[in-house]
Amino acid sequence: MKYISTRGGMPPKYFTEILLGGLADDGGLVVPDHYPKLSPADLNRMRGMSYPELAFEVISRFATDIPAADLKSIINKTYTAEIFGSAEITPLKTLEKDLYILGLSNGPTLAFKDVAMQLLGNLFEYALNKDHAELNILGATSGDTGSAAEYAMKGKRGIRVFMLSPQGKMSPFQTAQMYALQDPNIYNIAVSAPFDDCQDMVKAVSNDHAFKEKYRIGTVNSINWARVTAQAVYYFKAYFALTQSNEQRVSFAVPSGNFGNVCAGHIAKQMGLPVAELIVATNENDVLDEFFKTGVYRPRPQTMHTSSPSMDITKASNFERFIYDLTGRNPQNHNDLWQQLEKNGYFDLSQTPYFARLAQFGLVSGKSCHAERIATLRSMQQQYAVVVDPHTADGIKAGLERRMAGIPMICLETALPAKFEATIREALGHDPLRPAGYEHIESLPLRFDSMPPDVAQLKTYISAKIPE
Ligand SMILES: *Cc1c(COP(=O)(O)O)cnc(C)c1O
């Protein structure tokens, strides 16, 4: 298996050559040169496999240059009951006949990002050990990504994490989750500015190529291909958990921001998983909903701040991977669209054969606003005695609108409600339950450094922490 760029300008590379990277050199996204296909016999063999066994079946088809024994041991040490709360790793909860919640948020930071990030931490460590190399991860977070990355990379040899976060802007729970980490390879930097400024500081450092090279700066953002691959696994796990034969089709409702999670579902379907529909659920930032309904892709200049904040994204980076497939995996077609986007601020597929092809790919969409989110949280509690988080509620709302007779609907749970107490209180009038071990998280001693939004200071800080 080789990897190429959606924009056609990258010589083919192996999995471990793209593992540590972000964008391809030509500015495109890295994609496999084909999707491995699973036969009905393969699917039958995978039925009944444990989570780590399934993960190996799926990931080994993409990570073909990692020796099988090495990959197996990396996967086995990642997907354990100790880290994810149960041997199921991603347990399925039945709400009623043909309606399920796929529990993806039982990892250390209580959001689905742990599923991929925990694997990434172990893959990075493996790759760096092999070359006796070091990597300094620089990132900015508004909450979930930073903590998932820190928990995945803490204590890892050869890796340091420098994570910028907006001081005072995260929930007390999220703040404590990150700042309470005492591992010496984790540096939390509280910036006295909003998230956008943190992001700009990261960009400024990344654009200083000499600095980036000298201090071996890398990222763990959601376009990382290994993350998407790791997420494809739980679509298979859920399918086998509730079907008896490969004749049965299922649909998935996916709370979406950067389009990474639903892109993983798309990959599972391309590999041969019998998926009826993949429902892209958005919040008030509904650029993707508009695209799937009208064929017009028009990212907006402003991102709205909502009560499902991890989906507050107007330019979904992984979307480019799907458009590449939709337009026939032809870099020329693809580049034409991206040029139109740059020139006009949008592209419109409604008058092209590609728009009709969306049905073939099974991607549809839905959206939820704050009032609908609150209503969904209430009805989940009333009808099923289940408390979900606001992002999961957006997915459920969109999923319920697309239910089809005889086709199970699986709603992906992207975080636990404990992370978003204020919205749960607003909807239900009480605090969500906290999982064991997180009860007193806000009273732990904190370890972080403060900084104004000043790129020069950030560079000085980083260089002081890295031995020459
Ligand atoms: C990151 C995140 C999302 C969005 O996932 P994408 O892969 O970016 O589409 C949704 N919900 C929660 C809770 C998240 O942390």
Side-chain angles (χ1 to χ4, degrees):
M1 171 75 64
K2 289 274 186 87
Y3 291 86
I4 52 177
S5 165
T6 50
R7 312 244 174 131
M10 181 180 94
K13 291 184 178 176
Y14 284 110
F15 183 84
T16 57
E17 295 174 293
I18 56 142
L19 173 63
L20 301 172
L23 284 179
D25 301 335
D26 63 354
L29 271 80
V30 170
V31 287
D33 61 4
H34 68 284
Y35 289 115
K37 298 283 182 205
L38 297 168
S39 66
D42 288 326
L43 291 176
N44 284 337
R45 204 164 41 76
M46 289 161 77
R47 244 173 224 294
M49 280 188 178
S50 69
Y51 195 99
E53 287 167 343
L54 268 183
F56 180 77
E57 275 301 310
V58 173
I59 298 166
S60 63
R61 286 174 158 80
F62 291 100
T64 51
D65 63 329
I66 298 182
D70 292 356
L71 184 60
K72 249 183 204 152
S73 87
I74 292 168
I75 286 172
N76 289 343
K77 106 172 170 195
T78 304
Y79 297 113
T80 65
E82 195 196 357
I83 298 171
F84 287 97
S86 73
E88 288 292 292
I89 309 297
T90 59
L92 203 58
K93 184 185 294 172
T94 307
L95 296 180
E96 61 179 43
K97 185 171 167 2
D98 287 346
L99 185 61
Y100 303 87
I101 291 181
L102 180 61
L104 302 177
S105 308
N106 303 309
T109 73
L110 313 185
F112 83 101
K113 292 194 170 69
D114 288 327
V115 180
M117 206 71 91
Q118 286 288 319
L119 182 76
L120 204 63
N122 289 328
L123 282 172
F124 275 22
E125 183 174 56
Y126 170 81
L128 293 166
N129 271 348
K130 260 200 149 160
D131 301 339
H132 307 287
E134 286 191 359
L135 180 68
N136 296 298
I137 294 166
L138 175 62
T141 187
S142 58
D144 292 336
T145 307
S147 57
E150 291 185 358
Y151 275 75
M153 306 295 167
K154 73 192 174 86
K156 294 271 186 284
R157 211 207 63 87
I159 303 178
R160 290 181 200 83
V161 178
F162 296 91
M163 190 61 66
L164 309 186
S165 50
Q167 185 141 33
K169 296 287 194 304
M170 299 184 292
S171 78
F173 187 96
Q174 288 176 314
T175 306
Q177 229 179 3
M178 289 179 56
Y179 295 3
L181 284 179
Q182 302 294 329
D183 303 73
N185 72 326
I186 303 294
Y187 298 97
N188 278 304
I189 304 168
V191 179
S192 53
F195 168 70
D196 289 331
D197 294 279
C198 301
Q199 184 124 298
D200 288 345
M201 289 167 77
V202 171
K203 278 191 195 140
V205 172
S206 299
N207 284 337
D208 181 343
H209 296 287
F211 185 88
K212 196 175 160 191
E213 194 154 320
K214 179 168 182 203
Y215 292 104
R216 301 170 302 278
I217 305 284
T219 56
V220 284
N221 50 25
S222 67
I223 56 171
N224 182 287
W225 173 255
R227 275 180 73 178
V228 181
T229 311
Q231 289 171 178
V233 175
Y234 49 70
Y235 287 86
F236 286 91
K237 183 73 171 67
Y239 178 76
F240 293 128
L242 65 78
T243 63
Q244 273 80 50
S245 93
N246 307 336
E247 306 303 312
Q248 177 73 59
R249 293 189 308 157
V250 304
S251 290
F252 293 92
V254 190
S256 294
N258 251 328
F259 206 75
N261 203 356
V262 73
C263 187
H266 161 68
I267 290 160
K269 183 170 163 66
Q270 293 307 305
M271 290 175 77
L273 191 70
V275 175
E277 287 190 338
L278 291 164
I279 298 134
V280 180
T282 73
N283 62 17
E284 290 89 333
N285 296 290
D286 58 355
V287 173
L288 291 175
D289 184 49
E290 179 179 353
F291 171 75
F292 285 103
K293 294 215 163 101
T294 67
V296 177
Y297 178 60
R298 191 195 308 267
R300 312 214 173 96
Q302 291 292 328
T303 307
M304 281 169 70
H305 181 72
T306 76
S307 50
S308 47
S310 303
M311 294 158 63
D312 290 348
I313 287 170
T314 45
K315 217 170 163 188
S317 39
N318 278 290
F319 185 60
E320 184 167 339
R321 288 195 164 113
F322 174 70
I323 291 297
Y324 181 71
D325 288 348
L326 181 70
T327 55
R329 308 197 109 228
N330 177 336
Q332 194 51 52
N333 292 347
H334 187 84
N335 290 345
D336 287 350
L337 288 180
W338 252 256
Q339 270 156 21
Q340 285 175 36
L341 185 63
E342 199 141 300
K343 188 160 144 258
N344 309 327
Y346 74 97
F347 62 71
D348 180 358
L349 297 186
S350 63
Q351 304 307 316
T352 71
Y354 305 129
F355 190 51
R357 239 199 247 172
L358 279 176
Q360 203 177 311
F361 282 91
L363 271 93
V364 295
S365 68
K367 75 173 268 196
S368 173
C369 66
H370 180 75
E372 292 163 326
R373 189 169 305 128
I374 297 291
T376 305
L377 290 169
R378 289 185 182 144
S379 71
M380 283 294 115
Q381 156 120 330
Q382 280 156 11
Q383 270 184 276
Y384 308 110
V386 165
V387 181
V388 296
D389 103 291
H391 308 78
T392 307
D394 289 346
I396 291 171
K397 193 254 172 192
L400 290 175
E401 288 169 353
R402 300 290 311 187
R403 276 179 94 181
M404 290 184 265
I407 299 196
M409 174 64 68
I410 303 168
C411 301
L412 271 51
E413 169 212 68
T414 52
L416 290 195
K419 291 194 98 165
F420 302 97
E421 284 178 343
T423 304
I424 302 302
R425 265 199 300 274
E426 178 185 341
L428 308 180
H430 60 77
D431 278 342
L433 277 183
R434 284 202 180 178
Y438 293 84
E439 294 89 347
H440 307 295
I441 182 165
E442 289 94 338
S443 54
L444 293 173
L446 303 182
R447 175 174 167 271
F448 65 96
D449 291 305
S450 300
M451 194 180 288
D454 178 341
V455 176
Q457 272 196 46
L458 177 60
K459 285 183 181 169
T460 308
Y461 179 96
I462 293 173
S463 55
K465 304 291 183 198
I466 301 174
E468 293 283 325

